[in-house]
Amino acid sequence: MAAPRWVAAVRRAPALLALAALAALASCGDAPEADGSPRASAGGAGAGGQGAGGASGTPVEAILDELRADRDAALRAHAARTGWPVPVDGGHLFVSTSASLHLLAGDHDGWTGAEMTGDDGFHWIVLNVPAGARYKLTDRTAWAADPWSRAITYDEFGEMSLVAPSAAHLERHFDVGDAAMEPRTVRAWVPEGNVERVLYVHDGQNLFDPAGPAGGWRLQDHAPPGVLIVGIDSTAARLSEYTHVTDRIEDGGALVGGMGDAYADFLRDTVRPLIRARYGEPGPVGIMGSSLGGLISFHAADRHRGEYAFAASLSGTMGWGSIGADVRHETMIERYAAHTAPVATLYLDSGGGGDCLDGDGDGIEDDDPAAADNYCENRQMRGVLTGAEAPYVEGASVFYAWHAGAEHDEAAWAARVAEPLRIFEAL
């Protein structure tokens, strides 16, 4: 395949920017803001322990002393324990690290705004507010969601902070990483009622926010009842983390990628235990992504067989490993062609179109320079999955869709993500 065609497709994806002169994602690798707020792609911590007006067992003054001694460390520590606002005797402790946003307003006071107490690099207030109350930080001119709030939702004004909601909502976990994977935010769409199954999805910063690239996926609008959707943010190392082998994507360029094993193990050994501890992990467990996120979903399902009942790929880069003219590493097409038993129920699709050619004789039909959205690679993958000797059965253990002409971007994936969610819900 001609490398420029693939690189151009990657660069069209709003999630991707250049990394070391290569196409990769720039997302949550930034340092904390100067005022101590989380990274732009980050948020608060998970679900457990945040009740309305309950006692935390930690006196307010003790938490304030922690903030005075090392504000940012204390903010992160309590985000990981109970989430902000922190439940304390008499209500919840709210903190603002903005010098100007020193009022706390919300449903509890008709959005008039209560003056917070100024302290050493932060403002604070303890209020007893109803469960599920919405709030923001303000000076009555500017309004901002609390960047440290655990629970959020979105409305016509953007992000909205919540206190101990019981309705469906988003929750955020800071700085989730391990020895091999740099810290990133993990976001969980928490359904109302019981969690019945869990779906892990890559590129988490693009999944829920309506202000995300091309409007984001808005997965909360498609989430089936009882499905906990966990979005794992990507980082500037996305290209490496989401690929199982190295490849060359620019003529004369260096080999890139190949950290897929470490990323799949990070999901198994770090992310999933966190989710189990906060929410449980009942029922079927699935994994899903787009572009390279689709590739790594199929890789993780194969690497950790029996761990995922469902793997979904939207416009997956299934020819990775054979893009460079001189590179002959195992593609996901070849790996799955060798299966003698299904690893999971599979979904794959693409938009685009084109003539599917193997001009360089490497066995991968990816050499039409006019083809788009990984159409040919996914058509070939569908063929090996449904061949006469294949262990998969179309319509039962593998599902394929072609959306002719659809672009390689979040808007296109959002338009068709309801179908893999429907299949997952039916398992």
PDB file of all heavy atoms in Angstrom, residues 312-332:
ATOM      1  N   ALA A 312     -15.399  -4.986  19.033  1.00  0.00           N
ATOM      2  CA  ALA A 312     -15.955  -4.220  17.919  1.00  0.00           C
ATOM      3  C   ALA A 312     -14.908  -3.276  17.368  1.00  0.00           C
ATOM      4  O   ALA A 312     -14.172  -2.627  18.113  1.00  0.00           O
ATOM      5  CB  ALA A 312     -17.180  -3.429  18.373  1.00  0.00           C
ATOM      6  N   SER A 313     -14.873  -3.185  16.042  1.00  0.00           N
ATOM      7  CA  SER A 313     -13.931  -2.321  15.340  1.00  0.00           C
ATOM      8  C   SER A 313     -14.674  -1.505  14.306  1.00  0.00           C
ATOM      9  O   SER A 313     -15.322  -2.057  13.414  1.00  0.00           O
ATOM     10  CB  SER A 313     -12.854  -3.167  14.655  1.00  0.00           C
ATOM     11  OG  SER A 313     -12.125  -2.403  13.722  1.00  0.00           O
ATOM     12  N   LEU A 314     -14.598  -0.185  14.420  1.00  0.00           N
ATOM     13  CA  LEU A 314     -15.162   0.720  13.430  1.00  0.00           C
ATOM     14  C   LEU A 314     -14.008   1.287  12.612  1.00  0.00           C
ATOM     15  O   LEU A 314     -13.113   1.939  13.156  1.00  0.00           O
ATOM     16  CB  LEU A 314     -15.957   1.845  14.104  1.00  0.00           C
ATOM     17  CG  LEU A 314     -17.295   1.441  14.746  1.00  0.00           C
ATOM     18  CD1 LEU A 314     -17.086   0.736  16.085  1.00  0.00           C
ATOM     19  CD2 LEU A 314     -18.193   2.667  14.950  1.00  0.00           C
ATOM     20  N   SER A 315     -13.999   0.995  11.332  1.00  0.00           N
ATOM     21  CA  SER A 315     -12.928   1.443  10.426  1.00  0.00           C
ATOM     22  C   SER A 315     -11.551   1.016  10.913  1.00  0.00           C
ATOM     23  O   SER A 315     -10.572   1.762  10.808  1.00  0.00           O
ATOM     24  CB  SER A 315     -12.952   2.973  10.267  1.00  0.00           C
ATOM     25  OG  SER A 315     -14.218   3.445   9.893  1.00  0.00           O
ATOM     26  N   GLY A 316     -11.434  -0.173  11.444  1.00  0.00           N
ATOM     27  CA  GLY A 316     -10.187  -0.631  12.032  1.00  0.00           C
ATOM     28  C   GLY A 316      -9.043  -0.717  11.031  1.00  0.00           C
ATOM     29  O   GLY A 316      -9.233  -1.079   9.869  1.00  0.00           O
ATOM     30  N   THR A 317      -7.845  -0.415  11.510  1.00  0.00           N
ATOM     31  CA  THR A 317      -6.647  -0.427  10.666  1.00  0.00           C
ATOM     32  C   THR A 317      -6.101  -1.849  10.605  1.00  0.00           C
ATOM     33  O   THR A 317      -5.020  -2.157  11.126  1.00  0.00           O
ATOM     34  CB  THR A 317      -5.600   0.546  11.232  1.00  0.00           C
ATOM     35  OG1 THR A 317      -6.231   1.783  11.580  1.00  0.00           O
ATOM     36  CG2 THR A 317      -4.505   0.826  10.211  1.00  0.00           C
ATOM     37  N   MET A 318      -6.834  -2.735   9.958  1.00  0.00           N
ATOM     38  CA  MET A 318      -6.527  -4.157   9.995  1.00  0.00           C
ATOM     39  C   MET A 318      -5.297  -4.543   9.160  1.00  0.00           C
ATOM     40  O   MET A 318      -4.782  -5.643   9.308  1.00  0.00           O
ATOM     41  CB  MET A 318      -7.748  -4.967   9.524  1.00  0.00           C
ATOM     42  CG  MET A 318      -8.955  -4.824  10.436  1.00  0.00           C
ATOM     43  SD  MET A 318      -8.581  -5.348  12.131  1.00  0.00           S
ATOM     44  CE  MET A 318     -10.110  -4.921  12.965  1.00  0.00           C
ATOM     45  N   GLY A 319      -4.817  -3.634   8.315  1.00  0.00           N
ATOM     46  CA  GLY A 319      -3.620  -3.920   7.537  1.00  0.00           C
ATOM     47  C   GLY A 319      -2.331  -3.497   8.215  1.00  0.00           C
ATOM     48  O   GLY A 319      -1.254  -3.619   7.617  1.00  0.00           O
ATOM     49  N   TRP A 320      -2.425  -3.010   9.460  1.00  0.00           N
ATOM     50  CA  TRP A 320      -1.209  -2.589  10.160  1.00  0.00           C
ATOM     51  C   TRP A 320      -0.242  -3.770  10.288  1.00  0.00           C
ATOM     52  O   TRP A 320      -0.640  -4.870  10.658  1.00  0.00           O
ATOM     53  CB  TRP A 320      -1.551  -2.050  11.545  1.00  0.00           C
ATOM     54  CG  TRP A 320      -0.333  -1.560  12.277  1.00  0.00           C
ATOM     55  CD1 TRP A 320       0.487  -2.277  13.091  1.00  0.00           C
ATOM     56  CD2 TRP A 320       0.225  -0.244  12.222  1.00  0.00           C
ATOM     57  NE1 TRP A 320       1.521  -1.502  13.562  1.00  0.00           N
ATOM     58  CE2 TRP A 320       1.386  -0.247  13.036  1.00  0.00           C
ATOM     59  CE3 TRP A 320      -0.142   0.928  11.561  1.00  0.00           C
ATOM     60  CZ2 TRP A 320       2.175   0.891  13.216  1.00  0.00           C
ATOM     61  CZ3 TRP A 320       0.644   2.056  11.739  1.00  0.00           C
ATOM     62  CH2 TRP A 320       1.781   2.035  12.561  1.00  0.00           C
ATOM     63  N   GLY A 321       1.024  -3.491  10.004  1.00  0.00           N
ATOM     64  CA  GLY A 321       2.044  -4.526   9.977  1.00  0.00           C
ATOM     65  C   GLY A 321       2.551  -4.778   8.571  1.00  0.00           C
ATOM     66  O   GLY A 321       3.587  -5.417   8.386  1.00  0.00           O
ATOM     67  N   SER A 322       1.797  -4.251   7.568  1.00  0.00           N
ATOM     68  CA  SER A 322       2.187  -4.460   6.173  1.00  0.00           C
ATOM     69  C   SER A 322       2.002  -3.190   5.356  1.00  0.00           C
ATOM     70  O   SER A 322       1.810  -3.246   4.148  1.00  0.00           O
ATOM     71  CB  SER A 322       1.361  -5.595   5.567  1.00  0.00           C
ATOM     72  OG  SER A 322       1.831  -5.934   4.283  1.00  0.00           O
ATOM     73  N   ILE A 323       2.062  -2.030   6.029  1.00  0.00           N
ATOM     74  CA  ILE A 323       1.876  -0.763   5.326  1.00  0.00           C
ATOM     75  C   ILE A 323       3.154  -0.357   4.603  1.00  0.00           C
ATOM     76  O   ILE A 323       3.133  -0.027   3.423  1.00  0.00           O
ATOM     77  CB  ILE A 323       1.421   0.332   6.311  1.00  0.00           C
ATOM     78  CG1 ILE A 323       0.025   0.004   6.841  1.00  0.00           C
ATOM     79  CG2 ILE A 323       1.426   1.696   5.644  1.00  0.00           C
ATOM     80  CD1 ILE A 323      -0.435   0.889   7.969  1.00  0.00           C
ATOM     81  N   GLY A 324       4.273  -0.369   5.297  1.00  0.00           N
ATOM     82  CA  GLY A 324       5.540  -0.027   4.681  1.00  0.00           C
ATOM     83  C   GLY A 324       5.904  -1.006   3.576  1.00  0.00           C
ATOM     84  O   GLY A 324       5.670  -2.218   3.683  1.00  0.00           O
ATOM     85  N   ALA A 325       6.502  -0.478   2.512  1.00  0.00           N
ATOM     86  CA  ALA A 325       6.812  -1.318   1.353  1.00  0.00           C
ATOM     87  C   ALA A 325       7.740  -2.473   1.691  1.00  0.00           C
ATOM     88  O   ALA A 325       7.702  -3.524   1.043  1.00  0.00           O
ATOM     89  CB  ALA A 325       7.437  -0.452   0.251  1.00  0.00           C
ATOM     90  N   ASP A 326       8.569  -2.300   2.711  1.00  0.00           N
ATOM     91  CA  ASP A 326       9.538  -3.340   3.071  1.00  0.00           C
ATOM     92  C   ASP A 326       9.191  -4.038   4.382  1.00  0.00           C
ATOM     93  O   ASP A 326      10.021  -4.748   4.942  1.00  0.00           O
ATOM     94  CB  ASP A 326      10.936  -2.728   3.184  1.00  0.00           C
ATOM     95  CG  ASP A 326      11.011  -1.634   4.250  1.00  0.00           C
ATOM     96  OD1 ASP A 326       9.937  -1.089   4.625  1.00  0.00           O
ATOM     97  OD2 ASP A 326      12.130  -1.328   4.705  1.00  0.00           O
ATOM     98  N   VAL A 327       7.977  -3.836   4.873  1.00  0.00           N
ATOM     99  CA  VAL A 327       7.593  -4.398   6.172  1.00  0.00           C
ATOM    100  C   VAL A 327       6.662  -5.582   5.959  1.00  0.00           C
ATOM    101  O   VAL A 327       5.678  -5.496   5.217  1.00  0.00           O
ATOM    102  CB  VAL A 327       6.900  -3.336   7.053  1.00  0.00           C
ATOM    103  CG1 VAL A 327       6.497  -3.945   8.393  1.00  0.00           C
ATOM    104  CG2 VAL A 327       7.822  -2.140   7.265  1.00  0.00           C
ATOM    105  N   ARG A 328       6.971  -6.695   6.615  1.00  0.00           N
ATOM    106  CA  ARG A 328       6.146  -7.896   6.503  1.00  0.00           C
ATOM    107  C   ARG A 328       5.930  -8.467   7.901  1.00  0.00           C
ATOM    108  O   ARG A 328       6.406  -9.544   8.226  1.00  0.00           O
ATOM    109  CB  ARG A 328       6.810  -8.946   5.594  1.00  0.00           C
ATOM    110  CG  ARG A 328       6.928  -8.532   4.140  1.00  0.00           C
ATOM    111  CD  ARG A 328       5.551  -8.418   3.469  1.00  0.00           C
ATOM    112  NE  ARG A 328       5.678  -8.052   2.061  1.00  0.00           N
ATOM    113  CZ  ARG A 328       5.726  -6.806   1.619  1.00  0.00           C
ATOM    114  NH1 ARG A 328       5.678  -5.797   2.482  1.00  0.00           N
ATOM    115  NH2 ARG A 328       5.814  -6.544   0.335  1.00  0.00           N
ATOM    116  N   HIS A 329       5.226  -7.729   8.721  1.00  0.00           N
ATOM    117  CA  HIS A 329       4.879  -8.208  10.049  1.00  0.00           C
ATOM    118  C   HIS A 329       3.442  -8.726  10.041  1.00  0.00           C
ATOM    119  O   HIS A 329       2.654  -8.401   9.145  1.00  0.00           O
ATOM    120  CB  HIS A 329       5.043  -7.095  11.081  1.00  0.00           C
ATOM    121  CG  HIS A 329       6.460  -6.649  11.251  1.00  0.00           C
ATOM    122  ND1 HIS A 329       6.792  -5.405  11.745  1.00  0.00           N
ATOM    123  CD2 HIS A 329       7.638  -7.270  10.975  1.00  0.00           C
ATOM    124  CE1 HIS A 329       8.111  -5.284  11.784  1.00  0.00           C
ATOM    125  NE2 HIS A 329       8.645  -6.407  11.315  1.00  0.00           N
ATOM    126  N   GLU A 330       3.098  -9.485  11.042  1.00  0.00           N
ATOM    127  CA  GLU A 330       1.766 -10.096  11.081  1.00  0.00           C
ATOM    128  C   GLU A 330       0.677  -9.035  11.179  1.00  0.00           C
ATOM    129  O   GLU A 330       0.670  -8.202  12.083  1.00  0.00           O
ATOM    130  CB  GLU A 330       1.657 -11.037  12.293  1.00  0.00           C
ATOM    131  CG  GLU A 330       0.292 -11.707  12.404  1.00  0.00           C
ATOM    132  CD  GLU A 330       0.089 -12.392  13.749  1.00  0.00           C
ATOM    133  OE1 GLU A 330       0.369 -11.747  14.794  1.00  0.00           O
ATOM    134  OE2 GLU A 330      -0.347 -13.547  13.753  1.00  0.00           O
ATOM    135  N   THR A 331      -0.247  -9.070  10.241  1.00  0.00           N
ATOM    136  CA  THR A 331      -1.419  -8.208  10.326  1.00  0.00           C
ATOM    137  C   THR A 331      -2.505  -8.921  11.127  1.00  0.00           C
ATOM    138  O   THR A 331      -2.469 -10.137  11.324  1.00  0.00           O
ATOM    139  CB  THR A 331      -1.963  -7.880   8.931  1.00  0.00           C
ATOM    140  OG1 THR A 331      -2.463  -9.090   8.335  1.00  0.00           O
ATOM    141  CG2 THR A 331      -0.888  -7.260   8.050  1.00  0.00           C
ATOM    142  N   MET A 332      -3.506  -8.141  11.560  1.00  0.00           N
ATOM    143  CA  MET A 332      -4.615  -8.755  12.279  1.00  0.00           C
ATOM    144  C   MET A 332      -5.427  -9.646  11.345  1.00  0.00           C
ATOM    145  O   MET A 332      -6.028 -10.645  11.776  1.00  0.00           O
ATOM    146  CB  MET A 332      -5.493  -7.673  12.906  1.00  0.00           C
ATOM    147  CG  MET A 332      -6.244  -8.101  14.152  1.00  0.00           C
ATOM    148  SD  MET A 332      -5.228  -8.779  15.496  1.00  0.00           S
ATOM    149  CE  MET A 332      -4.079  -7.465  15.828  1.00  0.00           C
TER     150      MET A 332
END
